[in-house]
Amino acid sequence: MTTETPRPGALRIPSMRPHCSPEEWEARVNLAACYRLVELYGMSDMMANHISARVPGEQNAFLINAYGMMYEEITASSLIKVDLDGNILAKPDFGPLDYGINKAGYVIHSAIHGARHDVDCVIHTHSWASMAVSSLACGLLPLTQTAMRFLKIGYHDYQGVVLDTAEQASLIADLGEGEALILRNHGALTVGRTVGEAFNWMHRLELACRAQLAAQAAGAALQPVPQAVLEATWNNYQPNTRRPYGVMEWPALLRKLDRLDPGFRD
């Protein structure tokens, strides 16, 4: 619905709900929630970075943020629908702001959605912790149980701001069939079969990075874990050995947001 008297500082954005299928609207609500949660858990970078979600029933279309909005103000209606060629398929009337999309966001997300048909959500962050770990030659170390989940994480070497589609091939190759990728000297990326699953991966990756930096900052010797234990622990986190991530957590996270500010659903 259109908000006639928006809260101070809130954009007046007409509702996109009448122009969406029920399935697309649900995807929009979940994606808007993900933006709010990335901000809430301290992983946002003002209006930079991007999270996308595939449009249900439209294999070549995905939703992404309007470039110029802060994560805490993203709503279901503010998201822009774009195809894999970068064409904007649908967006709300932003008035004189006339927001578009971040080109780097398009290059990264279109590559993954085009190559990984099992993936419905892609999250990219520049958190302080992931940027710090991405700049370490050692990368992410399996120092904690949480980090052991990422024992086989991929790495993508820095090639500059991701504006050239020529980088898409190496990005996809480095991600492979995995769920997480360290972008060297840059940040982090996770994917999931649902928005909740992708957020779960990113939240845990962020915790692993923060814990490693804290342990290294202590200046004491780091406690290693035997390789056999690392492998067994990693296996415990794989899809064939546990329920999918986000199944239990996501409904609770949506309730959390509803208590704080249900405006993401607009």
Side-chain angles (χ1 to χ4, degrees), residues 55-229:
V55 178
E58 300 181 40
Q59 197 62 229
N60 295 321
F62 61 92
L63 302 165
I64 198 165
N65 55 317
Y67 191 32
M69 293 183 67
M70 303 285 278
Y71 274 30
E72 70 262 23
E73 60 181 346
I74 297 293
T75 65
S77 292
S78 74
L79 296 163
I80 295 176
K81 183 158 86 169
V82 61
D83 68 17
L84 296 182
D85 294 321
N87 300 305
I88 292 178
L89 304 177
K91 74 173 188 176
D93 181 3
F94 292 110
L97 293 171
D98 194 28
Y99 290 133
I101 62 172
N102 181 306
K103 183 176 181 181
Y106 159 71
V107 173
I108 292 171
H109 293 257
S110 64
I112 296 172
H113 285 296
R116 289 281 303 271
H117 299 295
D118 60 314
V119 164
D120 275 0
C121 181
V122 182
I123 303 177
H124 170 45
T125 63
H126 288 171
S127 72
W128 65 266
S130 64
M131 287 193 293
V133 169
S134 78
S135 67
L136 299 176
C138 65
L140 183 65
L141 300 174
L143 298 176
T144 61
Q145 176 175 277
T146 299
M148 292 172 205
R149 172 173 168 173
F150 301 96
L151 185 65
K152 303 181 191 299
I153 194 170
Y155 291 86
H156 178 68
D157 287 340
Y158 188 68
Q159 300 176 36
V161 179
V162 190
L163 300 176
D164 191 342
T165 54
E167 189 174 343
Q168 290 181 318
S170 60
L171 179 70
I172 291 302
D174 293 332
L175 175 61
E177 297 301 313
E179 299 86 6
L181 188 66
I182 296 289
L183 305 174
R184 293 282 194 186
N185 310 99
H186 186 174
L189 183 146
T190 62
V191 302
R193 292 165 293 183
T194 65
V195 174
E197 184 176 62
F199 179 78
N200 191 297
W201 279 108
M202 183 56 77
H203 180 259
R204 296 301 194 276
L205 180 55
E206 177 72 8
L207 290 180
C209 288
R210 292 183 188 182
Q212 175 175 324
L213 295 170
Q216 290 176 315
L222 300 175
Q223 178 64 42
V225 175
Q227 186 64 32
V229 177

Side-chain angles (χ1 to χ4, degrees), residues 1 16 30 46 51 73 81 84 92 111 132 137 158 203 217 219 234:
M1 66 180 178
M16 292 292 287
N30 283 322
M46 292 195 293
I51 311 169
E73 60 181 346
K81 183 158 86 169
L84 296 182
Y158 188 68
H203 180 259
W234 173 83

